[in-house]
């Protein structure tokens, strides 16, 4: 029979051998997630005996992590802007740097606005805005039906189901309204760079969420000219971008008559967001 402490140590050693970056944190997160208890429970119940069958099941989960599957997919959740989002393999795992979009949109707009989150994935951007700006009306769209199912689940968990509109759409194809703000974190990795991504991204996250075409800019080139029809006068567009894409995206915005174009850096001092105002 294994105690909880034995299992935690086993997990730690397994993840250390697999060169996981934060083995202790991840071992604790995996075990507490598996037992559906908080991390304090692992300390206060370290001598608790774990049933053989549960030990076997936990070792299967641990092996998945050691092979490179992201923790968020194994646990089925990821924190974003202080809230927990359900995630599965149909959606990109929300990234901390994407939180910058939320801060900037809150700073540059008022509450009573209509927002479109294009390429919404898990819904982390649009749903967070819906909850941070309670008087706003938010539409979230994605080409993937499976992503929309994830957004629907997250909207329910966050109690936002009556406040948001969900639309399956290839970019603007099924969108008919105008918005004060369009926000998008589209796929932006150049196709040739996909193979060089770390295993946990390349082999597990959806390619449709990553691949930004030959130069990584395909989506900006499509979204920006089309967005003009879907923005009210003085409406704003906010994009997450790859660290080396700011100049190109700024140029596409100014060619399309956007003004007041600004670039913002993330906490790692990398260009991360470009915004512009429509006329
Ligand atoms: C980089 S992920 C961003 C997900 C989420 N907004 C986030 O920040 O975590 C890009 C998303 O774009 C979606 N997507 C790809 N091609 C699309 C298209 N043609 N029209 C709409 N969405 C698309 C993918 O399904 C994926 O969910």
């Amino acid at each position: 029979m294994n105690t909880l402490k034995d299992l935690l140590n086993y997990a730690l050693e397994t993840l250390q051998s697999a060169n996981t970056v934060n083995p202790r944190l991840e071992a604790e997160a995996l075990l507490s997630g598996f037992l559906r208890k908080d991390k304090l429970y692992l300390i206060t119940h370290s001598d608790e005996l774990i049933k053989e069958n549960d030990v076997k099941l936990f070792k299967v989960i641990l092996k998945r992590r050691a092979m490179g599957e992201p923790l968020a997919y194994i646990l089925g959740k990821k924190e974003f802007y202080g809230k927990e989002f359900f995630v599965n393999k149909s959606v990109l795992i929300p990234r901390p740097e994407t939180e910058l979009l939320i801060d900037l949109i809150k700073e540059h707009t008022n509450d009573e606005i209509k927002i479109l989150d294009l390429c919404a994935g898990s819904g982390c951007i649009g749903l967070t805005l819906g909850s941070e700006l309670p008087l706003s009306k938010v539409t979230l769209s994605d080409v993937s039906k499976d992503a929309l199912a994830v957004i629907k689940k997250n909207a329910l968990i966050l109690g936002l189901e009556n406040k948001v509109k969900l639309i399956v759409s290839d970019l603007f194809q099924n969108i008919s309204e105008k918005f004060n703000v369009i926000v998008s974190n589209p796929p932006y990795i150049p196709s040739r760079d996909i193979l060089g991504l770390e295993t946990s991204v390349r082999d597990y996250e959806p390619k449709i969420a990553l691949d930004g075409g030959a130069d990584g800019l395909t989506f900006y080139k499509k979204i920006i000219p089309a967005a003009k029809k879907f923005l009210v006068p003085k409406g704003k567009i906010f994009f997450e971008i790859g660290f080396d894409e700011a100049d190109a995206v700024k140029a596409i915005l100014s060619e399309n008559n956007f003004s007041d174009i600004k670039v913002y850096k993330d906490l790692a001092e990398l260009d991360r967001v470009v915004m512009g105002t429509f006329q």
Side-chain angles (χ1 to χ4, degrees):
M1 231 6 155
N2 285 269
T3 65
L4 214 154
K5 192 162 84 188
D6 296 333
L7 214 49
L8 188 59
N9 284 334
Y10 177 78
L12 180 60
E13 282 162 23
T14 307
L15 296 179
Q16 275 167 341
S17 317
N19 294 321
T20 307
V21 179
N22 291 310
R24 178 165 295 279
L25 267 181
E26 294 216 7
E28 288 172 357
L30 270 179
L31 189 53
S32 59
F34 174 73
L35 297 170
R36 297 184 190 283
K37 305 281 187 198
D38 59 26
K39 286 188 191 163
L40 186 63
Y41 187 93
L42 305 183
I43 301 163
T44 53
H45 293 72
S46 60
D47 292 329
E48 184 175 304
L49 291 173
I50 309 294
K51 289 187 207 131
E52 274 316 310
N53 201 39
D54 284 343
V55 172
K56 274 192 204 145
L57 287 174
F58 179 69
K59 287 187 176 174
V60 171
I61 286 176
L62 187 61
K63 191 167 173 202
R64 282 166 60 191
R65 180 64 195 116
M67 302 280 286
E69 183 171 341
L71 188 66
Y73 287 149
I74 297 172
L75 298 177
K77 61 181 182 183
K78 176 74 185 177
E79 196 192 297
F80 181 82
Y81 215 82
K83 293 193 167 53
E84 211 163 76
F85 281 79
F86 165 74
V87 291
N88 64 22
K89 286 180 189 162
S90 306
V91 296
L92 190 90
I93 299 165
R95 304 293 204 267
E97 56 269 28
T98 302
E99 294 178 349
L100 177 60
L101 280 169
I102 310 294
D103 288 332
L104 290 169
I105 293 172
K106 281 168 68 179
E107 187 185 320
H108 286 92
T109 61
N110 56 42
D111 198 334
E112 289 177 64
I113 53 170
K114 280 173 73 181
I115 301 171
L116 171 65
D117 177 3
L118 202 63
C119 303
S122 63
C124 61
I125 300 172
L127 294 176
T128 302
L129 288 169
S131 109
E132 292 289 315
L133 303 171
L135 300 179
S136 64
K137 292 198 169 64
V138 183
T139 299
L140 300 99
S141 85
D142 199 287
V143 75
S144 154
K145 284 195 185 106
D146 292 338
L148 260 289
V150 171
I151 300 176
K152 195 169 178 188
K153 185 162 175 170
N154 280 321
L156 277 168
I157 294 170
L158 297 169
L160 293 168
E161 68 276 19
N162 295 325
K163 173 182 163 62
V164 297
K165 223 185 257 180
L166 312 184
I167 302 177
V168 177
S169 178
D170 180 354
L171 298 182
F172 292 102
Q173 204 166 61
N174 301 328
I175 309 288
S176 51
E177 294 169 63
K178 284 188 189 275
F179 299 88
N180 305 89
V181 165
I182 295 175
V183 55
S184 185
N185 175 16
Y188 59 68
I189 298 173
S191 308
R192 65 177 176 285
D193 293 350
I194 303 269
L195 264 181
L197 295 173
E198 55 185 287
T199 318
S200 63
V201 179
R202 186 192 58 221
D203 295 349
Y204 293 93
E205 300 206 67
K207 188 155 183 267
I208 190 182
L210 302 170
D211 194 339
D215 58 2
L217 301 169
T218 299
F219 282 83
Y220 307 107
K221 289 176 185 164
K222 285 187 185 171
I223 293 171
I224 293 170
K228 296 190 265 184
K229 216 175 113 193
F230 298 93
L231 279 170
V232 300
K234 298 286 169 211
K236 293 185 190 328
I237 196 157
F238 294 79
F239 284 114
E240 178 166 323
I241 54 159
F243 70 95
D244 54 355
E245 295 176 339
D247 287 343
V249 176
K250 268 164 62 181
I252 306 169
L253 282 168
S254 75
E255 280 159 22
N256 283 281
N257 302 108
F258 282 80
S259 58
D260 207 10
I261 300 164
K262 294 194 181 94
V263 179
Y264 294 89
K265 290 187 190 296
D266 62 18
L267 291 175
E269 285 297 308
L270 299 172
D271 289 342
R272 188 56 65 198
V273 169
V274 177
M275 69 167 284
T277 302
F278 178 47
Q279 304 208 333

